[in-house]
Amino acid sequence: MYTCGPTVYQFAHIGNFRAYTTADLLVRVLQYNGYEVKFVMNITDVGHLVSDADTGEDKLEKSAKKEGKNVWEVAEFYTDAFLKDYDALNLTKPTVLCKATDHIKEQVDLIKRLEEKGFTYKTSDGIYFDTSKFPTYGQLSSLDQIKEGARVEINDEKKNPRDFALWKFSYQDGKSRGEILKQVQDDSLEKRQMEWKSPWGVGFPGWHIECSAMSMKYLGESFDIHTGGVDHKEIHHPNEIAQSEAATGKKFVNYWIHTAFMQVNGQKMSKSLNNTYTLYDLEKEGYDMLALRYLYLQTHYRQEMNFTFESLDAAQNAYKKLVIDISRFEDPSVSSGQVRPGIFEDFEKRFFDALNEDLNTSKALAVLWEVVKSSYPSGPKLRTIFKMDRVLGLNLQELSHQIRNAQQILPGHVQQMVEERQHLRKLRKFNAADQIRAKIEKLGYELEDTKKGPKVTKK
Ligand SMILES: [Zn+2]
């Protein structure tokens, strides 16, 4: 399975992470079904151009200029940030995480292969793929959306508006900067920071070619599943299919999984509306990233999702309640040391039937809640919940244990004193409350009043 990863010139936003969560769920569900999953994801650390059509400024070089760093520093910084967010959402680590800049040779080799088969042509700014030579081009997308001048800027030298760059020259006609400078005596030519030699001239790969080169390197020329955001369905993925199948003559991918767009307050996410939230934006407002994961699970991946802070609040409350409810269940087989296996198979079956039905996560969540609310014995209940959570990835086992342990640290008589002190404080009997506080501290506990109430820990 291959997933189109981030372009590391800015922070990924909550819409991007929705698509990575789909990929993660798919891996977990496949593993539950007994499949071994080789999961490959790329990091686009070569700056491709701001539009899908290989025109405009280079995203990485643009960020570097803005942030006063070099492009390699920019790529490293945003790769680290991405992986930190990725972990916070408890997403499955890829078996192979591959960077475009580590695979320039594979990309050049693939372009050579396409050139030998006659699928390419040269213009003054690069080597292009000739889509007219690939009759099934664009089957994944609705072709009328790719009209010249709409998303694709007009390039006189392109034979067909849908043709795309495989290799872009740093300078026109693949000439070196020195040669051009001699000709034009123009100091305004800035040197690109990322460029490589190739049989066609110094330059850099087009964006699409890296995914074909790396997926085929690690997964073979034909593989099972390719995922990504639905924004890739019109151009990036049709291009991946065209260049891969033209080179190999084989079917590239069996199943394409696209996660739908996310809106914010019913509007498209955009810089101008200032509504492209990152995980950090939510974290600093006090949100738990696993509550965001819970929120993602509530909407089917092929449905557009409308993000609002009200919906995130509701998800956070539901998630907290879930963890607290579970922390109250005791597994007698754990405390007695006896192994008593057994889970509720009917619940489990309904849960996995839902997920196996094109990842119906909201239905699966509903079954989980049914187990939590049921009046069955808590031992098998817990085991059923934790088994389900291997797929949901909400960290329920660890968090509910943490809560239990935190509660168990406080012996009953201390808990009673804490409650009595709270009561006295409400009655504004502060002197009496302080006396109890002193007693609690004498017993070896530290008491801190927080917004959420008193926090008591052993000294
Ligand atoms: Zn891709």
Side-chain angles (χ1 to χ4, degrees), residues 48-315:
H48 62 77
L49 303 164
V50 283
S51 80
D52 268 352
D54 305 306
T55 55
E57 271 183 288
D58 179 297
K59 289 176 177 174
L60 263 156
E61 305 247 352
K62 196 178 162 190
S63 260
K65 226 181 274 172
K66 205 172 95 191
E67 297 183 17
K69 293 176 184 168
N70 73 42
V71 280
W72 300 95
E73 287 166 345
V74 167
E76 195 187 342
F77 175 81
Y78 288 108
T79 303
D80 290 348
F82 173 78
L83 294 175
K84 190 181 147 272
D85 288 347
Y86 193 89
D87 278 349
L89 281 169
N90 202 15
L91 301 174
T92 307
K93 285 201 171 47
T95 327
V96 178
L97 185 70
C98 42
K99 291 181 178 176
T101 52
D102 290 338
H103 298 78
I104 299 297
K105 187 186 175 299
E106 286 82 352
Q107 297 177 65
V108 167
D109 286 348
L110 187 56
I111 302 168
K112 275 200 237 164
R113 226 169 138 185
L114 290 167
E115 187 179 40
E116 279 157 21
K117 292 195 167 184
F119 284 99
T120 66
Y121 61 90
K122 188 179 166 182
T123 70
S124 61
D125 75 344
I127 303 295
Y128 281 78
F129 184 92
D130 187 344
T131 51
S132 68
K133 300 241 170 87
F134 189 74
T136 57
Y137 179 82
Q139 274 182 345
L140 206 60
S141 63
S142 38
L143 267 186
D144 28 319
Q145 292 208 11
I146 311 176
K147 281 191 195 120
E148 184 157 19
R151 280 188 77 181
V152 180
E153 283 174 45
I154 296 161
N155 174 341
D156 284 343
E157 290 180 76
K158 265 165 56 167
K159 290 185 185 172
N160 184 321
R162 302 193 298 265
D163 293 353
F164 55 91
L166 297 165
W167 187 263
K168 291 276 280 190
F169 301 136
S170 292
Y171 312 103
Q172 294 252 307
D173 291 321
K175 284 185 185 129
S176 74
R177 183 168 173 264
E179 284 172 281
I180 292 186
L181 281 179
K182 261 184 241 153
Q183 277 175 13
V184 296
Q185 295 292 317
D186 183 356
D187 288 337
S188 70
L189 275 177
E190 266 184 84
K191 186 168 164 38
R192 275 185 64 85
Q193 294 180 33
M194 271 192 189
E195 57 184 13
W196 294 267
K197 282 181 184 158
S198 82
W200 313 280
V202 173
F204 55 103
W207 169 38
H208 314 291
I209 195 74
E210 69 176 69
C211 283
S212 291
M214 292 192 280
S215 62
M216 291 199 287
K217 172 174 178 167
Y218 294 106
L219 297 168
E221 293 182 345
S222 294
F223 58 94
D224 293 310
I225 302 167
H226 194 311
T227 81
V230 75
D231 47 325
H232 291 159
K233 202 175 165 185
E234 297 300 329
I235 295 179
H236 180 53
H237 288 165
N239 291 356
E240 277 191 45
I241 295 172
Q243 66 204 2
S244 306
E245 297 191 355
T248 66
K250 292 177 194 161
K251 188 173 187 190
F252 178 45
V253 166
N254 287 327
Y255 299 99
W256 290 88
I257 308 283
H258 291 113
T259 302
F261 281 119
M262 177 188 269
Q263 293 196 320
V264 172
N265 293 320
Q267 286 176 302
K268 197 179 170 206
M269 266 197 257
S270 75
K271 283 245 163 69
S272 56
L273 289 171
N274 200 19
N275 64 358
T276 46
Y277 295 108
T278 64
L279 267 60
Y280 175 71
D281 293 331
L282 305 184
E283 235 166 10
K284 70 177 185 229
E285 296 295 320
Y287 290 103
D288 185 335
M289 291 306 100
L290 290 178
L292 176 64
R293 185 179 168 101
Y294 187 97
L295 180 68
Y296 288 145
L297 295 176
Q298 291 177 312
T299 309
H300 190 260
Y301 74 91
R302 277 195 286 112
Q303 244 172 1
E304 263 193 30
M305 177 176 165
N306 183 27
F307 174 88
T308 61
F309 279 97
E310 292 75 46
S311 65
L312 183 58
D313 284 335

Side-chain angles (χ1 to χ4, degrees), residues 419-436:
E419 279 162 23
E420 200 185 324
R421 175 176 170 272
Q422 279 304 93
H423 182 66
L424 289 168
R425 276 164 61 87
K426 264 186 205 147
L427 299 174
R428 306 191 69 80
K429 295 185 178 172
F430 293 112
N431 279 340
D434 282 348
Q435 280 169 15
I436 295 184

Side-chain angles (χ1 to χ4, degrees), residues 217-454:
K217 172 174 178 167
Y218 294 106
L219 297 168
E221 293 182 345
S222 294
F223 58 94
D224 293 310
I225 302 167
H226 194 311
T227 81
V230 75
D231 47 325
H232 291 159
K233 202 175 165 185
E234 297 300 329
I235 295 179
H236 180 53
H237 288 165
N239 291 356
E240 277 191 45
I241 295 172
Q243 66 204 2
S244 306
E245 297 191 355
T248 66
K250 292 177 194 161
K251 188 173 187 190
F252 178 45
V253 166
N254 287 327
Y255 299 99
W256 290 88
I257 308 283
H258 291 113
T259 302
F261 281 119
M262 177 188 269
Q263 293 196 320
V264 172
N265 293 320
Q267 286 176 302
K268 197 179 170 206
M269 266 197 257
S270 75
K271 283 245 163 69
S272 56
L273 289 171
N274 200 19
N275 64 358
T276 46
Y277 295 108
T278 64
L279 267 60
Y280 175 71
D281 293 331
L282 305 184
E283 235 166 10
K284 70 177 185 229
E285 296 295 320
Y287 290 103
D288 185 335
M289 291 306 100
L290 290 178
L292 176 64
R293 185 179 168 101
Y294 187 97
L295 180 68
Y296 288 145
L297 295 176
Q298 291 177 312
T299 309
H300 190 260
Y301 74 91
R302 277 195 286 112
Q303 244 172 1
E304 263 193 30
M305 177 176 165
N306 183 27
F307 174 88
T308 61
F309 279 97
E310 292 75 46
S311 65
L312 183 58
D313 284 335
Q316 177 134 312
N317 288 337
Y319 177 56
K320 268 190 191 157
K321 184 176 177 339
L322 182 65
V323 175
I324 289 169
D325 282 2
I326 293 170
S327 74
R328 296 199 177 115
F329 303 147
E330 211 156 328
D331 189 345
S333 72
V334 172
S335 45
S336 67
Q338 282 177 301
V339 181
R340 281 170 48 189
I343 55 167
F344 296 121
E345 279 164 13
D346 53 332
F347 282 124
E348 198 203 351
K349 186 177 180 309
R350 279 169 49 220
F351 177 83
F352 285 105
D353 280 351
L355 290 171
N356 283 341
E357 201 185 295
D358 198 17
L359 301 181
N360 192 338
T361 45
S362 59
K363 202 167 162 187
L365 263 187
V367 180
L368 175 79
W369 273 107
E370 273 184 58
V371 180
V372 173
K373 288 178 178 164
S374 71
S375 50
Y376 292 113
S378 54
K381 230 162 113 163
L382 274 182
R383 288 190 289 273
T384 307
I385 291 165
F386 295 153
K387 186 168 184 190
M388 289 174 172
D389 195 40
R390 293 220 295 266
V391 175
L392 298 178
L394 294 168
N395 246 345
L396 297 175
Q397 186 155 10
E398 199 190 315
L399 293 177
S400 61
H401 280 175
Q402 269 175 21
I403 291 181
R404 279 173 67 85
N405 290 341
Q407 284 165 348
Q408 278 162 6
I409 288 169
L410 228 52
H413 65 286
V414 180
Q415 183 63 35
Q416 220 169 10
M417 288 160 80
V418 173
E419 279 162 23
E420 200 185 324
R421 175 176 170 272
Q422 279 304 93
H423 182 66
L424 289 168
R425 276 164 61 87
K426 264 186 205 147
L427 299 174
R428 306 191 69 80
K429 295 185 178 172
F430 293 112
N431 279 340
D434 282 348
Q435 280 169 15
I436 295 184
R437 182 198 186 101
K439 273 191 208 167
I440 293 170
E441 287 180 346
K442 229 177 181 176
L443 289 168
Y445 294 91
E446 209 148 12
L447 192 150
E448 188 196 337
D449 286 307
T450 71
K451 275 182 193 164
K452 289 175 188 164

